[in-house]
Amino acid sequence: MRRRRTAAILPVLLLLAGCAGGVARDLGMTVGGPFGARPTIAFAGGGPAAGLRVEELESGAGAPLGADDLAIVQYTAHVWDGRDNRVVDSTFDRGTPAAFALGELPPGLDGALRGRRVGSRVVAAVPPQYRGGAQPPPGVGPGDELVYVVDIIAAHPKGASVEAGGGSLAGVRVTAGAPPALEVPATAPPPAFEARVLVRGEGRGTRAGQLVVAQYEGAVWGSRRVFEATWTSGRPKAFKVGDGGVLKGWERALVGVPAGSRVLMVVPPSYGYGPAGDPAHGITGTDTLVYVVDLIAAY
């Protein structure tokens, strides 16, 4: 689907009780700003705290994050060096939340978030030894300690799907329920791009620039081979629409469609991977593709 990280999980060594009022007392810092808004951090004097430290400044009432969940978060990361403690990464600079796949994060951050409830604000000081070999953000040195302020906006479990029925398009049939079965006919594919909303969700349409969460299955028309299916591979995936980061066919089919919809599309090469194809998935430059997409949420 895209045009073109996994670390071992280590236990959190020190999990501190949540502190009210935005004051992370054991970390020596004050975090300002409401949940979901860009935080400000006032660091006390001196350098980083020893070891991995985590504090929950605000406790949510939503579902706890499970080991296989896809968490939607707003966050800011600082290098904690006791000098300028500069910001090195922030979802607020990019304009959309981020998707954190639990189990695939740097181990210190993964352990800090697992089990936390949606609606919580978590502060985590993560020394380099708890990054588990994960690539740090640009501008972060191998020995730098990072401080994350993470607001957990939502969580989508492994089996998340929409309540959707089936339908057909250009001879392709999709069954109702989740996961749906995708049946591609043994005929020549249509020459042009086609898309159909089989079941339309409620609410506003997805806007260009939003982060969307989806379950999907893709097949090659000619061989009727399924080459990718999130329902069986693990969990929903998140991606941004409207910025050229996904296939042209996906942009055309999904922008404007509300969350809760099931969409079926037939994607010729000019709306897919083009003449180069996608060798990693066995897709050639002449393959027409078929996708059924459950658009679960948009942020």
Side-chain angles (χ1 to χ4, degrees):
M1 169 274 298
R2 289 186 179 277
R3 282 191 175 278
R4 314 263 176 243
R5 124 186 115 142
T6 303
I9 305 302
L10 296 180
V12 176
L13 294 188
L14 183 58
L15 185 60
L16 300 174
C19 300
V23 179
R25 292 185 177 87
D26 289 274
L27 289 172
M29 61 183 66
T30 302
V31 179
F35 177 89
R38 185 191 295 268
T40 58
I41 302 180
F43 290 84
L52 175 67
R53 292 178 178 251
V54 181
E55 295 196 37
E56 186 173 287
L57 297 187
E58 189 168 337
S59 299
L65 293 183
D68 295 318
D69 282 1
L70 185 74
I72 306 301
V73 304
Q74 294 277 22
Y75 76 94
T76 296
H78 289 248
V79 166
W80 192 0
D81 58 12
R83 297 186 296 277
D84 59 355
N85 304 313
R86 66 191 184 281
V87 176
V88 292
D89 195 15
S90 175
T91 56
F92 299 100
D93 295 336
R94 296 194 290 275
T96 56
F100 280 0
L102 273 291
E104 298 181 11
L105 298 171
L109 184 59
D110 194 281
L113 297 180
R114 190 173 300 193
R116 304 288 178 174
R117 292 185 176 275
V118 172
S120 298
R121 169 169 282 185
V122 179
V123 182
V126 183
Q129 64 267 32
Y130 287 94
R131 292 207 289 262
Q135 183 67 31
V140 177
D144 287 337
E145 177 156 342
L146 294 177
V147 171
Y148 293 88
V149 179
V150 183
D151 290 351
I152 306 170
I153 305 296
H156 300 283
K158 180 176 180 178
S161 193
V162 301
E163 294 292 332
S168 63
L169 173 69
V172 178
R173 295 187 59 82
V174 173
T175 62
L182 186 61
E183 301 171 2
V184 182
T187 58
F193 171 81
E194 297 186 39
R196 182 182 177 190
V197 178
L198 301 182
V199 176
R200 183 170 292 273
E202 300 178 355
R204 274 200 226 169
T206 299
R207 302 186 307 277
Q210 284 190 301
L211 182 78
V212 301
V213 177
Q215 296 269 33
Y216 61 90
E217 181 170 299
V220 177
W221 185 294
S223 64
R224 301 190 294 284
R225 174 181 60 87
V226 173
F227 61 86
E228 189 173 15
T230 59
W231 278 284
T232 56
S233 65
R235 67 179 117 214
K237 290 191 177 180
F239 50 90
K240 194 173 177 180
V241 294
D243 66 352
V246 296
L247 300 182
K248 181 180 177 182
W250 280 60
E251 302 275 9
R252 181 166 171 179
L254 298 182
V255 173
V257 175
S261 299
R262 174 168 288 177
V263 181
L264 177 60
M265 65 184 93
V266 177
V267 182
S270 59
Y271 280 80
Y273 291 100
D278 182 10
H281 287 99
I283 298 168
T284 73
T286 60
D287 282 332
T288 291
L289 308 178
V290 178
Y291 288 98
V292 57
V293 180
D294 277 9
L295 190 57
I296 295 170
Y299 301 93

